[in-house]
Amino acid sequence: MAPAPDSRPILVTGGAGFVGANLADRFAAEGRTVIVYDALARPGVERNLAWLTERHGERIVPVIADIRDRDELTRTVREAGAVFHFAAQVAVTTSLTAPREDMEVNLGGTLNLLEALRARGEAVPLLFASTNKVYGGLPDVALTLAGDAYLPEDARLRERGIGEDRPLDFHTPYGCSKGAADAYVLDYARTYGLPTVVMRMSCIYGPRQMGNEDQGWVAHFLIRALRGEPITLYGDGRQVRDILHVDDCVAAYRAALARIDRVAGRAFNLGGGPSNAVSLRGLIAHAGQLLGREIVIETGPWRPGDQRYYVSDPSRVIEALGLERPLSWREGVAQLAGWLREWVEVAPSTEPLPRRQPEAVL
Ligand SMILES: NC(=O)c1ccc[n+]([C@@H]2O[C@H](COP(=O)([O-])OP(=O)(O)OC[C@H]3O[C@@H](n4cnc5c(N)ncnc54)[C@H](O)[C@@H]3O)[C@@H](O)[C@H]2O)c1
C-alpha cells in the first residue's frame, strides 16, 4: 500500500523572498499549508507575502521572525513535514561590509535550523539553497573571448559546464558563510542521518524578484531598462552566467522532496546550463530588443569574487530528479519583462538592500 500523503505543513524559511514565495505558491495551490518564516529583512518582500495571503488565505501561515531567533525557529520547526531553507543574507556586497552579520544569518541561522531538526529525532527533509559561489572565482579555467562573452578554452567544459566534482573554493564572506552552511547541511545527513539536499544555484530569475544592484541582476537590468535608466556594468560586462527561470528552480526543489529517499545527502549544481548561458552584455542587448529601446551602459571596476565565467553542468540534477528541459533564457526573460512592466508601475523605485556599496557582485 502506498504511504499516506504527508499533510503536515511545509516550512519555507525566507518564504516571502523571490524563490521562497514562488515555491510557497506552488505548494499552497495544491492545498498544502505553508509556514512562511521570514524576517521581511529585504525591502519589498512584504508585497510577496501579501500576494501569497491574498491568493491562498489561511493556507499561508506567516511567522515574521529572524532565522537567528533559535526559540521561535525551534517552535516553528516542530510542526513541519518538510523544510526549504532560503532565508539568508543574499548579497556579496553586504557580506563585504558586514561579514559577522552575514555569518550569523547564513551559517548561524542554518545551524539553528539543523539543530531544531535534529532535536525532533525524526527524518524531516531539509532542502537548502546554496550557491555557485562555493566554487570560487575559477581562476584556473583558461578563458577566451567570443564576441561579448568569456568562454572556456576547454571544449568539454564549454559544452558541459561546471560539475559537482569541481573543488570547493569559498571566496568572499558570502561565499564562506553559504559554503560553510552547505557543508553543515551535507554533514548532518552523513553524521545524523537527516535527509538533506543542497542545491548550488546559479542565477535564478523570474517574477517576484525584487532585483537590485546587489542581487538579482536579471530583474535589476530589466527594471532599469524599463525606467529608461542607465545600467552600470562592473567589469567589462562579458561575464557569462547560466540563468534559470524560477519555475524550473521550484520544480527541481519539489522533485528533490518527492525523491528524498534517493537523493538525501547529495549536492547538485542547479542552473540553466550551457544552453542558457548569456553574458551581461548579451542580456542587455536582448532586453533592448524586447523593449524596443537603446539601453545606456555605464561601467565600473571589477568587483571582489566576480567570476568571469560560471556555467553549471546541470546533467546530474536533471538525471537524478527527472527534470524537464528548462525554459530557454530568451523566452523566460521576455516573460519576466512582461511581468515587470506592471510591477514597475506599482513600485516607484528600485529599493536597495540595506548597506549598499558600489562594488556589488552579480
Ligand atoms: N536568486 C538567486 O539567483 C540565487 C542564487 C544562488 C543562491 N541563492 C540563494 O537562494 C536563497 C533565496 O534567494 P532569493 O533570490 O529568493 O533571495 P530573497 O532576498 O528574495 O529572499 C531571501 C528572504 O530571506 C529573508 N531573510 C533575510 N534575512 C533573514 C533573517 N535573518 N531571518 C529570516 N529571514 C531573513 C528576506 O526577508 C527574504 O524574504 C538564498 O538563500 C540565496 O542565498 C539565490
Side-chain angles (χ1 to χ4, degrees), residues 17-19 42-45 47-48 90-91 204-225 227 229 336 339-340 343-344 347 349-353 356 362:
F18 160 52
V19 180
R42 183 168 191 155
V45 297
R47 285 199 294 271
N48 286 342
V90 295
I204 313 298
Y205 70 96
R208 320 229 69 83
Q209 187 168 30
M210 311 289 160
N212 59 35
E213 198 166 60
D214 292 304
Q215 198 249 6
W217 64 276
V218 177
H220 169 65
F221 283 6
L222 288 171
I223 292 167
R224 300 283 298 187
R227 291 201 171 113
E229 294 166 352
L336 176 57
W339 183 82
L340 281 171
W343 185 78
V344 165
S349 73
T350 315
E351 290 148 305
L353 292 174
R356 188 165 73 102
L362 295 164

mmCIF file of all heavy atoms in Angstrom, residues 17-19 42-45 47-48 90-91 204-225 227 229 336 339-340 343-344 347 349-353 356 362:
data_model
loop_
_atom_site.group_PDB
_atom_site.id
_atom_site.type_symbol
_atom_site.label_atom_id
_atom_site.label_comp_id
_atom_site.label_asym_id
_atom_site.label_seq_id
_atom_site.Cartn_x
_atom_site.Cartn_y
_atom_site.Cartn_z
ATOM 1 N N GLY A 17 10.599 35.836 0.220
ATOM 2 C CA GLY A 17 11.573 36.237 -0.798
ATOM 3 C C GLY A 17 11.198 35.703 -2.166
ATOM 4 O O GLY A 17 10.150 35.059 -2.343
ATOM 5 N N PHE A 18 12.053 35.963 -3.110
ATOM 6 C CA PHE A 18 11.771 35.636 -4.515
ATOM 7 C C PHE A 18 11.545 34.138 -4.731
ATOM 8 O O PHE A 18 10.449 33.701 -5.135
ATOM 9 C CB PHE A 18 12.932 36.181 -5.350
ATOM 10 C CG PHE A 18 13.096 35.582 -6.704
ATOM 11 C CD1 PHE A 18 12.026 35.509 -7.593
ATOM 12 C CD2 PHE A 18 14.343 35.110 -7.123
ATOM 13 C CE1 PHE A 18 12.194 34.962 -8.854
ATOM 14 C CE2 PHE A 18 14.514 34.570 -8.377
ATOM 15 C CZ PHE A 18 13.445 34.483 -9.239
ATOM 16 N N VAL A 19 12.539 33.323 -4.446
ATOM 17 C CA VAL A 19 12.393 31.889 -4.706
ATOM 18 C C VAL A 19 11.384 31.284 -3.732
ATOM 19 O O VAL A 19 10.503 30.502 -4.120
ATOM 20 C CB VAL A 19 13.758 31.155 -4.590
ATOM 21 C CG1 VAL A 19 13.579 29.663 -4.856
ATOM 22 C CG2 VAL A 19 14.776 31.732 -5.565
ATOM 23 N N ARG A 42 14.384 41.931 3.587
ATOM 24 C CA ARG A 42 14.648 42.509 2.272
ATOM 25 C C ARG A 42 13.514 43.467 1.891
ATOM 26 O O ARG A 42 12.349 43.047 1.841
ATOM 27 C CB ARG A 42 14.757 41.420 1.213
ATOM 28 C CG ARG A 42 15.109 42.019 -0.146
ATOM 29 C CD ARG A 42 15.513 40.945 -1.132
ATOM 30 N NE ARG A 42 16.073 41.559 -2.314
ATOM 31 C CZ ARG A 42 16.927 40.985 -3.136
ATOM 32 N NH1 ARG A 42 17.318 39.757 -2.894
ATOM 33 N NH2 ARG A 42 17.392 41.615 -4.183
ATOM 34 N N PRO A 43 13.840 44.712 1.629
ATOM 35 C CA PRO A 43 12.778 45.665 1.279
ATOM 36 C C PRO A 43 11.965 45.176 0.091
ATOM 37 O O PRO A 43 12.522 44.674 -0.887
ATOM 38 C CB PRO A 43 13.543 46.947 0.922
ATOM 39 C CG PRO A 43 14.854 46.820 1.626
ATOM 40 C CD PRO A 43 15.175 45.352 1.640
ATOM 41 N N GLY A 44 10.676 45.280 0.204
ATOM 42 C CA GLY A 44 9.784 44.920 -0.904
ATOM 43 C C GLY A 44 9.168 43.540 -0.772
ATOM 44 O O GLY A 44 8.120 43.280 -1.360
ATOM 45 N N VAL A 45 9.783 42.631 0.008
ATOM 46 C CA VAL A 45 9.262 41.258 0.043
ATOM 47 C C VAL A 45 7.912 41.158 0.764
ATOM 48 O O VAL A 45 7.189 40.181 0.598
ATOM 49 C CB VAL A 45 10.258 40.223 0.635
ATOM 50 C CG1 VAL A 45 11.499 40.116 -0.214
ATOM 51 C CG2 VAL A 45 10.604 40.522 2.076
ATOM 52 N N ARG A 47 5.469 42.646 -0.084
ATOM 53 C CA ARG A 47 4.481 42.569 -1.193
ATOM 54 C C ARG A 47 4.280 41.126 -1.639
ATOM 55 O O ARG A 47 3.188 40.731 -2.026
ATOM 56 C CB ARG A 47 4.950 43.413 -2.388
ATOM 57 C CG ARG A 47 4.776 44.886 -2.170
ATOM 58 C CD ARG A 47 4.807 45.648 -3.489
ATOM 59 N NE ARG A 47 6.105 45.587 -4.123
ATOM 60 C CZ ARG A 47 7.087 46.458 -3.895
ATOM 61 N NH1 ARG A 47 6.919 47.445 -3.062
ATOM 62 N NH2 ARG A 47 8.232 46.350 -4.510
ATOM 63 N N ASN A 48 5.356 40.328 -1.593
ATOM 64 C CA ASN A 48 5.221 38.905 -1.944
ATOM 65 C C ASN A 48 4.357 38.181 -0.917
ATOM 66 O O ASN A 48 3.520 37.344 -1.270
ATOM 67 C CB ASN A 48 6.599 38.221 -1.988
ATOM 68 C CG ASN A 48 7.398 38.607 -3.214
ATOM 69 O OD1 ASN A 48 6.834 39.107 -4.190
ATOM 70 N ND2 ASN A 48 8.697 38.378 -3.174
ATOM 71 N N VAL A 90 21.692 37.726 1.319
ATOM 72 C CA VAL A 90 21.903 37.204 -0.035
ATOM 73 C C VAL A 90 22.933 37.977 -0.870
ATOM 74 O O VAL A 90 23.248 37.559 -1.989
ATOM 75 C CB VAL A 90 20.571 37.170 -0.826
ATOM 76 C CG1 VAL A 90 19.590 36.189 -0.191
ATOM 77 C CG2 VAL A 90 19.950 38.557 -0.925
ATOM 78 N N ALA A 91 23.418 39.102 -0.353
ATOM 79 C CA ALA A 91 24.266 39.955 -1.203
ATOM 80 C C ALA A 91 25.738 39.847 -0.830
ATOM 81 O O ALA A 91 26.101 40.028 0.337
ATOM 82 C CB ALA A 91 23.815 41.404 -1.094
ATOM 83 N N ILE A 204 19.113 32.705 -10.600
ATOM 84 C CA ILE A 204 17.705 32.380 -10.797
ATOM 85 C C ILE A 204 16.998 33.705 -11.119
ATOM 86 O O ILE A 204 17.338 34.747 -10.538
ATOM 87 C CB ILE A 204 17.097 31.746 -9.521
ATOM 88 C CG1 ILE A 204 18.017 30.646 -8.955
ATOM 89 C CG2 ILE A 204 15.692 31.212 -9.783
ATOM 90 C CD1 ILE A 204 18.273 29.465 -9.860
ATOM 91 N N TYR A 205 16.039 33.669 -12.022
ATOM 92 C CA TYR A 205 15.331 34.908 -12.362
ATOM 93 C C TYR A 205 13.856 34.577 -12.561
ATOM 94 O O TYR A 205 13.483 33.412 -12.786
ATOM 95 C CB TYR A 205 15.917 35.534 -13.646
ATOM 96 C CG TYR A 205 15.590 34.729 -14.887
ATOM 97 C CD1 TYR A 205 14.497 35.068 -15.693
ATOM 98 C CD2 TYR A 205 16.326 33.590 -15.210
ATOM 99 C CE1 TYR A 205 14.165 34.303 -16.810
ATOM 100 C CE2 TYR A 205 15.993 32.822 -16.310
ATOM 101 C CZ TYR A 205 14.922 33.172 -17.108
ATOM 102 O OH TYR A 205 14.589 32.413 -18.195
ATOM 103 N N GLY A 206 13.027 35.615 -12.476
ATOM 104 C CA GLY A 206 11.604 35.395 -12.740
ATOM 105 C C GLY A 206 10.743 36.345 -11.930
ATOM 106 O O GLY A 206 11.259 37.218 -11.216
ATOM 107 N N PRO A 207 9.430 36.177 -12.039
ATOM 108 C CA PRO A 207 8.510 37.059 -11.327
ATOM 109 C C PRO A 207 8.708 37.006 -9.815
ATOM 110 O O PRO A 207 9.083 35.971 -9.278
ATOM 111 C CB PRO A 207 7.118 36.508 -11.681
ATOM 112 C CG PRO A 207 7.313 35.671 -12.881
ATOM 113 C CD PRO A 207 8.722 35.187 -12.863
ATOM 114 N N ARG A 208 8.437 38.126 -9.166
ATOM 115 C CA ARG A 208 8.517 38.300 -7.713
ATOM 116 C C ARG A 208 9.948 38.531 -7.247
ATOM 117 O O ARG A 208 10.239 38.452 -6.067
ATOM 118 C CB ARG A 208 7.880 37.138 -6.918
ATOM 119 C CG ARG A 208 6.602 36.601 -7.500
ATOM 120 C CD ARG A 208 5.496 36.474 -6.494
ATOM 121 N NE ARG A 208 5.050 37.798 -6.074
ATOM 122 C CZ ARG A 208 4.165 38.548 -6.766
ATOM 123 N NH1 ARG A 208 3.628 38.114 -7.872
ATOM 124 N NH2 ARG A 208 3.833 39.742 -6.329
ATOM 125 N N GLN A 209 10.852 38.802 -8.195
ATOM 126 C CA GLN A 209 12.239 39.073 -7.821
ATOM 127 C C GLN A 209 12.410 40.579 -7.643
ATOM 128 O O GLN A 209 12.184 41.338 -8.585
ATOM 129 C CB GLN A 209 13.187 38.576 -8.919
ATOM 130 C CG GLN A 209 14.653 38.650 -8.551
ATOM 131 C CD GLN A 209 15.534 37.882 -9.538
ATOM 132 O OE1 GLN A 209 15.199 37.780 -10.713
ATOM 133 N NE2 GLN A 209 16.636 37.355 -9.065
ATOM 134 N N MET A 210 12.778 40.987 -6.436
ATOM 135 C CA MET A 210 12.993 42.412 -6.153
ATOM 136 C C MET A 210 14.458 42.731 -6.504
ATOM 137 O O MET A 210 15.260 43.056 -5.629
ATOM 138 C CB MET A 210 12.739 42.720 -4.665
ATOM 139 C CG MET A 210 11.441 42.177 -4.107
ATOM 140 S SD MET A 210 10.040 43.080 -4.757
ATOM 141 C CE MET A 210 8.694 41.933 -4.479
ATOM 142 N N GLY A 211 14.789 42.564 -7.754
ATOM 143 C CA GLY A 211 16.187 42.697 -8.176
ATOM 144 C C GLY A 211 16.711 44.103 -7.958
ATOM 145 O O GLY A 211 16.016 45.082 -8.232
ATOM 146 N N ASN A 212 17.902 44.197 -7.468
ATOM 147 C CA ASN A 212 18.571 45.497 -7.354
ATOM 148 C C ASN A 212 20.055 45.293 -7.640
ATOM 149 O O ASN A 212 20.470 44.194 -7.993
ATOM 150 C CB ASN A 212 18.312 46.131 -5.972
ATOM 151 C CG ASN A 212 18.804 45.234 -4.855
ATOM 152 O OD1 ASN A 212 19.813 44.554 -5.002
ATOM 153 N ND2 ASN A 212 18.097 45.227 -3.746
ATOM 154 N N GLU A 213 20.814 46.360 -7.467
ATOM 155 C CA GLU A 213 22.212 46.293 -7.876
ATOM 156 C C GLU A 213 23.004 45.251 -7.077
ATOM 157 O O GLU A 213 24.030 44.752 -7.521
ATOM 158 C CB GLU A 213 22.850 47.671 -7.721
ATOM 159 C CG GLU A 213 24.127 47.791 -8.502
ATOM 160 C CD GLU A 213 24.589 49.223 -8.625
ATOM 161 O OE1 GLU A 213 24.829 49.828 -7.575
ATOM 162 O OE2 GLU A 213 24.726 49.690 -9.761
ATOM 163 N N ASP A 214 22.532 44.926 -5.893
ATOM 164 C CA ASP A 214 23.246 43.980 -5.035
ATOM 165 C C ASP A 214 22.960 42.528 -5.366
ATOM 166 O O ASP A 214 23.788 41.666 -5.143
ATOM 167 C CB ASP A 214 22.869 44.214 -3.569
ATOM 168 C CG ASP A 214 23.398 45.533 -3.062
ATOM 169 O OD1 ASP A 214 24.612 45.746 -3.157
ATOM 170 O OD2 ASP A 214 22.590 46.353 -2.611
ATOM 171 N N GLN A 215 21.765 42.255 -5.814
ATOM 172 C CA GLN A 215 21.405 40.847 -6.067
ATOM 173 C C GLN A 215 20.171 40.783 -6.946
ATOM 174 O O GLN A 215 19.257 41.612 -6.807
ATOM 175 C CB GLN A 215 21.131 40.124 -4.740
ATOM 176 C CG GLN A 215 21.177 38.613 -4.837
ATOM 177 C CD GLN A 215 19.792 37.995 -4.651
ATOM 178 O OE1 GLN A 215 18.794 38.685 -4.561
ATOM 179 N NE2 GLN A 215 19.752 36.669 -4.611
ATOM 180 N N GLY A 216 20.156 39.822 -7.834
ATOM 181 C CA GLY A 216 19.009 39.682 -8.744
ATOM 182 C C GLY A 216 19.233 40.510 -10.000
ATOM 183 O O GLY A 216 18.401 41.329 -10.393
ATOM 184 N N TRP A 217 20.369 40.279 -10.660
ATOM 185 C CA TRP A 217 20.789 41.187 -11.735
ATOM 186 C C TRP A 217 19.886 41.150 -12.961
ATOM 187 O O TRP A 217 19.725 42.168 -13.628
ATOM 188 C CB TRP A 217 22.255 40.941 -12.116
ATOM 189 C CG TRP A 217 22.546 39.578 -12.711
ATOM 190 C CD1 TRP A 217 22.782 38.436 -12.025
ATOM 191 C CD2 TRP A 217 22.642 39.241 -14.099
ATOM 192 N NE1 TRP A 217 23.018 37.398 -12.902
ATOM 193 C CE2 TRP A 217 22.948 37.864 -14.171
ATOM 194 C CE3 TRP A 217 22.519 39.963 -15.285
ATOM 195 C CZ2 TRP A 217 23.112 37.194 -15.394
ATOM 196 C CZ3 TRP A 217 22.688 39.308 -16.494
ATOM 197 C CH2 TRP A 217 22.967 37.938 -16.548
ATOM 198 N N VAL A 218 19.297 40.010 -13.278
ATOM 199 C CA VAL A 218 18.451 39.963 -14.489
ATOM 200 C C VAL A 218 17.259 40.896 -14.306
ATOM 201 O O VAL A 218 16.981 41.761 -15.152
ATOM 202 C CB VAL A 218 17.982 38.515 -14.786
ATOM 203 C CG1 VAL A 218 17.052 38.498 -15.996
ATOM 204 C CG2 VAL A 218 19.188 37.595 -15.029
ATOM 205 N N ALA A 219 16.575 40.761 -13.165
ATOM 206 C CA ALA A 219 15.430 41.643 -12.889
ATOM 207 C C ALA A 219 15.905 43.093 -12.774
ATOM 208 O O ALA A 219 15.253 44.015 -13.281
ATOM 209 C CB ALA A 219 14.723 41.204 -11.618
ATOM 210 N N HIS A 220 17.036 43.288 -12.130
ATOM 211 C CA HIS A 220 17.563 44.649 -11.947
ATOM 212 C C HIS A 220 17.806 45.329 -13.301
ATOM 213 O O HIS A 220 17.395 46.471 -13.516
ATOM 214 C CB HIS A 220 18.856 44.584 -11.134
ATOM 215 C CG HIS A 220 19.620 45.862 -11.095
ATOM 216 N ND1 HIS A 220 19.136 47.008 -10.500
ATOM 217 C CD2 HIS A 220 20.840 46.198 -11.618
ATOM 218 C CE1 HIS A 220 20.018 47.983 -10.638
ATOM 219 N NE2 HIS A 220 21.051 47.512 -11.322
ATOM 220 N N PHE A 221 18.451 44.615 -14.223
ATOM 221 C CA PHE A 221 18.719 45.196 -15.547
ATOM 222 C C PHE A 221 17.399 45.558 -16.243
ATOM 223 O O PHE A 221 17.275 46.621 -16.854
ATOM 224 C CB PHE A 221 19.483 44.197 -16.434
ATOM 225 C CG PHE A 221 20.958 44.077 -16.112
ATOM 226 C CD1 PHE A 221 21.520 44.727 -15.025
ATOM 227 C CD2 PHE A 221 21.796 43.296 -16.923
ATOM 228 C CE1 PHE A 221 22.879 44.600 -14.730
ATOM 229 C CE2 PHE A 221 23.157 43.170 -16.643
ATOM 230 C CZ PHE A 221 23.695 43.818 -15.545
ATOM 231 N N LEU A 222 16.432 44.660 -16.163
ATOM 232 C CA LEU A 222 15.162 44.917 -16.844
ATOM 233 C C LEU A 222 14.429 46.112 -16.215
ATOM 234 O O LEU A 222 13.844 46.938 -16.922
ATOM 235 C CB LEU A 222 14.269 43.673 -16.809
ATOM 236 C CG LEU A 222 14.712 42.522 -17.720
ATOM 237 C CD1 LEU A 222 13.882 41.276 -17.441
ATOM 238 C CD2 LEU A 222 14.589 42.900 -19.202
ATOM 239 N N ILE A 223 14.488 46.200 -14.897
ATOM 240 C CA ILE A 223 13.811 47.317 -14.217
ATOM 241 C C ILE A 223 14.442 48.648 -14.645
ATOM 242 O O ILE A 223 13.750 49.611 -14.977
ATOM 243 C CB ILE A 223 13.874 47.146 -12.672
ATOM 244 C CG1 ILE A 223 13.014 45.954 -12.236
ATOM 245 C CG2 ILE A 223 13.421 48.411 -11.956
ATOM 246 C CD1 ILE A 223 13.236 45.504 -10.788
ATOM 247 N N ARG A 224 15.775 48.664 -14.650
ATOM 248 C CA ARG A 224 16.464 49.902 -15.069
ATOM 249 C C ARG A 224 16.085 50.252 -16.510
ATOM 250 O O ARG A 224 15.796 51.407 -16.821
ATOM 251 C CB ARG A 224 17.993 49.732 -15.005
ATOM 252 C CG ARG A 224 18.543 49.401 -13.650
ATOM 253 C CD ARG A 224 18.618 50.541 -12.702
ATOM 254 N NE ARG A 224 19.493 51.615 -13.121
ATOM 255 C CZ ARG A 224 19.804 52.664 -12.354
ATOM 256 N NH1 ARG A 224 19.279 52.765 -11.143
ATOM 257 N NH2 ARG A 224 20.605 53.612 -12.790
ATOM 258 N N ALA A 225 16.077 49.235 -17.362
ATOM 259 C CA ALA A 225 15.769 49.483 -18.780
ATOM 260 C C ALA A 225 14.325 49.970 -18.925
ATOM 261 O O ALA A 225 14.058 50.908 -19.689
ATOM 262 C CB ALA A 225 15.985 48.199 -19.579
ATOM 263 N N ARG A 227 12.650 51.650 -16.871
ATOM 264 C CA ARG A 227 12.552 53.024 -16.366
ATOM 265 C C ARG A 227 13.346 54.007 -17.220
ATOM 266 O O ARG A 227 13.387 55.204 -16.914
ATOM 267 C CB ARG A 227 13.080 53.084 -14.930
ATOM 268 C CG ARG A 227 12.195 52.370 -13.939
ATOM 269 C CD ARG A 227 12.454 52.894 -12.520
ATOM 270 N NE ARG A 227 11.446 52.339 -11.629
ATOM 271 C CZ ARG A 227 11.700 51.472 -10.655
ATOM 272 N NH1 ARG A 227 12.930 51.083 -10.448
ATOM 273 N NH2 ARG A 227 10.738 51.019 -9.899
ATOM 274 N N GLU A 229 16.572 54.063 -17.345
ATOM 275 C CA GLU A 229 17.760 54.455 -16.579
ATOM 276 C C GLU A 229 18.980 53.681 -17.076
ATOM 277 O O GLU A 229 18.840 52.549 -17.558
ATOM 278 C CB GLU A 229 17.539 54.151 -15.088
ATOM 279 C CG GLU A 229 16.443 54.986 -14.466
ATOM 280 C CD GLU A 229 15.984 54.487 -13.097
ATOM 281 O OE1 GLU A 229 16.404 53.390 -12.668
ATOM 282 O OE2 GLU A 229 15.175 55.199 -12.482
ATOM 283 N N LEU A 336 9.558 37.669 -18.091
ATOM 284 C CA LEU A 336 9.815 38.498 -16.909
ATOM 285 C C LEU A 336 9.633 39.986 -17.235
ATOM 286 O O LEU A 336 9.077 40.737 -16.426
ATOM 287 C CB LEU A 336 11.232 38.241 -16.380
ATOM 288 C CG LEU A 336 11.688 39.113 -15.205
ATOM 289 C CD1 LEU A 336 10.753 38.987 -14.004
ATOM 290 C CD2 LEU A 336 13.117 38.779 -14.790
ATOM 291 N N TRP A 339 6.053 40.786 -16.956
ATOM 292 C CA TRP A 339 5.598 40.874 -15.557
ATOM 293 C C TRP A 339 6.077 42.175 -14.928
ATOM 294 O O TRP A 339 5.330 42.866 -14.226
ATOM 295 C CB TRP A 339 6.121 39.673 -14.765
ATOM 296 C CG TRP A 339 5.626 39.658 -13.351
ATOM 297 C CD1 TRP A 339 4.419 39.201 -12.918
ATOM 298 C CD2 TRP A 339 6.310 40.158 -12.188
ATOM 299 N NE1 TRP A 339 4.316 39.382 -11.557
ATOM 300 C CE2 TRP A 339 5.460 39.966 -11.085
ATOM 301 C CE3 TRP A 339 7.560 40.752 -11.988
ATOM 302 C CZ2 TRP A 339 5.808 40.337 -9.787
ATOM 303 C CZ3 TRP A 339 7.913 41.128 -10.693
ATOM 304 C CH2 TRP A 339 7.044 40.916 -9.610
ATOM 305 N N LEU A 340 7.346 42.515 -15.200
ATOM 306 C CA LEU A 340 7.922 43.707 -14.574
ATOM 307 C C LEU A 340 7.278 45.002 -15.062
ATOM 308 O O LEU A 340 7.202 45.972 -14.322
ATOM 309 C CB LEU A 340 9.435 43.760 -14.831
ATOM 310 C CG LEU A 340 10.284 42.850 -13.939
ATOM 311 C CD1 LEU A 340 11.726 42.818 -14.427
ATOM 312 C CD2 LEU A 340 10.252 43.311 -12.477
ATOM 313 N N TRP A 343 4.709 45.578 -12.647
ATOM 314 C CA TRP A 343 5.248 45.743 -11.307
ATOM 315 C C TRP A 343 5.955 47.088 -11.163
ATOM 316 O O TRP A 343 5.834 47.771 -10.149
ATOM 317 C CB TRP A 343 6.205 44.594 -11.002
ATOM 318 C CG TRP A 343 6.708 44.614 -9.599
ATOM 319 C CD1 TRP A 343 6.036 44.201 -8.482
ATOM 320 C CD2 TRP A 343 7.963 45.112 -9.148
ATOM 321 N NE1 TRP A 343 6.804 44.398 -7.366
ATOM 322 C CE2 TRP A 343 7.990 44.955 -7.741
ATOM 323 C CE3 TRP A 343 9.067 45.668 -9.790
ATOM 324 C CZ2 TRP A 343 9.086 45.344 -6.977
ATOM 325 C CZ3 TRP A 343 10.156 46.045 -9.030
ATOM 326 C CH2 TRP A 343 10.162 45.876 -7.639
ATOM 327 N N VAL A 344 6.700 47.484 -12.185
ATOM 328 C CA VAL A 344 7.442 48.739 -12.121
ATOM 329 C C VAL A 344 6.482 49.915 -11.965
ATOM 330 O O VAL A 344 6.771 50.895 -11.288
ATOM 331 C CB VAL A 344 8.341 48.896 -13.372
ATOM 332 C CG1 VAL A 344 8.847 50.314 -13.540
ATOM 333 C CG2 VAL A 344 9.530 47.942 -13.269
ATOM 334 N N ALA A 347 5.657 49.932 -8.263
ATOM 335 C CA ALA A 347 6.816 50.115 -7.381
ATOM 336 C C ALA A 347 7.626 51.297 -7.906
ATOM 337 O O ALA A 347 8.333 51.166 -8.890
ATOM 338 C CB ALA A 347 7.673 48.859 -7.364
ATOM 339 N N SER A 349 10.370 52.910 -7.144
ATOM 340 C CA SER A 349 11.828 52.928 -7.307
ATOM 341 C C SER A 349 12.408 51.580 -6.920
ATOM 342 O O SER A 349 11.816 50.835 -6.157
ATOM 343 C CB SER A 349 12.450 54.016 -6.440
ATOM 344 O OG SER A 349 12.407 53.607 -5.099
ATOM 345 N N THR A 350 13.589 51.286 -7.444
ATOM 346 C CA THR A 350 14.264 50.042 -7.065
ATOM 347 C C THR A 350 14.801 50.232 -5.662
ATOM 348 O O THR A 350 15.605 51.113 -5.422
ATOM 349 C CB THR A 350 15.451 49.762 -7.996
ATOM 350 O OG1 THR A 350 15.034 49.999 -9.310
ATOM 351 C CG2 THR A 350 15.945 48.360 -7.837
ATOM 352 N N GLU A 351 14.330 49.388 -4.752
ATOM 353 C CA GLU A 351 14.780 49.604 -3.374
ATOM 354 C C GLU A 351 16.053 48.818 -3.124
ATOM 355 O O GLU A 351 16.066 47.605 -3.285
ATOM 356 C CB GLU A 351 13.685 49.137 -2.408
ATOM 357 C CG GLU A 351 12.498 50.048 -2.448
ATOM 358 C CD GLU A 351 11.216 49.274 -2.187
ATOM 359 O OE1 GLU A 351 10.975 48.300 -2.908
ATOM 360 O OE2 GLU A 351 10.488 49.647 -1.286
ATOM 361 N N PRO A 352 17.120 49.505 -2.724
ATOM 362 C CA PRO A 352 18.366 48.768 -2.482
ATOM 363 C C PRO A 352 18.298 47.988 -1.182
ATOM 364 O O PRO A 352 17.510 48.304 -0.303
ATOM 365 C CB PRO A 352 19.411 49.875 -2.374
ATOM 366 C CG PRO A 352 18.647 51.082 -1.931
ATOM 367 C CD PRO A 352 17.241 50.938 -2.456
ATOM 368 N N LEU A 353 19.144 46.977 -1.088
ATOM 369 C CA LEU A 353 19.284 46.279 0.181
ATOM 370 C C LEU A 353 19.967 47.231 1.168
ATOM 371 O O LEU A 353 20.640 48.165 0.760
ATOM 372 C CB LEU A 353 20.160 45.030 0.002
ATOM 373 C CG LEU A 353 19.573 43.917 -0.826
ATOM 374 C CD1 LEU A 353 20.633 42.846 -1.021
ATOM 375 C CD2 LEU A 353 18.358 43.321 -0.154
ATOM 376 N N ARG A 356 24.055 49.214 1.057
ATOM 377 C CA ARG A 356 24.538 49.011 -0.304
ATOM 378 C C ARG A 356 25.897 49.678 -0.469
ATOM 379 O O ARG A 356 26.151 50.721 0.116
ATOM 380 C CB ARG A 356 23.525 49.657 -1.252
ATOM 381 C CG ARG A 356 23.757 49.399 -2.689
ATOM 382 C CD ARG A 356 22.512 49.766 -3.418
ATOM 383 N NE ARG A 356 22.336 51.210 -3.473
ATOM 384 C CZ ARG A 356 22.595 51.935 -4.539
ATOM 385 N NH1 ARG A 356 23.043 51.372 -5.626
ATOM 386 N NH2 ARG A 356 22.391 53.225 -4.532
ATOM 387 N N LEU A 362 27.545 40.260 -8.985
ATOM 388 C CA LEU A 362 26.318 39.710 -9.550
ATOM 389 C C LEU A 362 26.056 38.340 -9.003
ATOM 390 O O LEU A 362 26.960 37.581 -8.770
ATOM 391 C CB LEU A 362 26.438 39.630 -11.058
ATOM 392 C CG LEU A 362 26.558 41.007 -11.687
ATOM 393 C CD1 LEU A 362 27.055 40.886 -13.102
ATOM 394 C CD2 LEU A 362 25.253 41.747 -11.638
#
